[in-house]
Amino acid sequence: MSFDTPERPLEFWKAVEIMQIDLPDAIRRGVLAPVDLAPMLRNCALCPDLRKCTIWQQGHRHGDAPYVPDFCPNQKALEALAAKAPYMALRRPGSQR
């Protein structure tokens, strides 16, 4: 059974875009193994906070989200990827970075 359909694409892909995470580049550079993508997709598909995620995504455009919200089951993985990207500087709310 697929959770990623044209009617309801996984919010994961939108979050990755908002965070400006270039997954193919991360894989090429060895920052992300392709096998590590499956658990992130599963976490997103089974996440109980779809509504919160949708609201967070609607409040951000491509590249303007400084962090992944705490409710996201992929928060640590996505923030780690974003921190390793040469083009993304993570800023937690209230941080001075």
Side-chain angles (χ1 to χ4, degrees), residues 33-85:
V35 69
D36 294 332
L37 193 55
M40 289 190 283
L41 292 170
R42 185 177 52 252
N43 288 344
C44 184
L46 299 175
C47 180
D49 291 315
L50 172 63
R51 183 167 159 66
K52 287 181 186 177
C53 189
T54 301
I55 291 168
W56 173 76
Q57 290 177 4
Q58 289 172 346
H60 297 284
R61 294 183 319 258
H62 178 79
D64 77 344
Y67 65 93
V68 179
D70 291 336
F71 63 79
C72 180
N74 289 313
Q75 178 189 33
K76 288 181 183 176
L78 291 175
E79 287 189 351
L81 284 172
K84 293 176 183 174

Side-chain angles (χ1 to χ4, degrees), residues 12 21 23 26-37 40 81:
F12 178 82
I21 297 170
L23 290 175
I27 291 169
R28 275 191 300 276
R29 291 186 300 117
V31 173
L32 175 68
V35 69
D36 294 332
L37 193 55
M40 289 190 283
L81 284 172

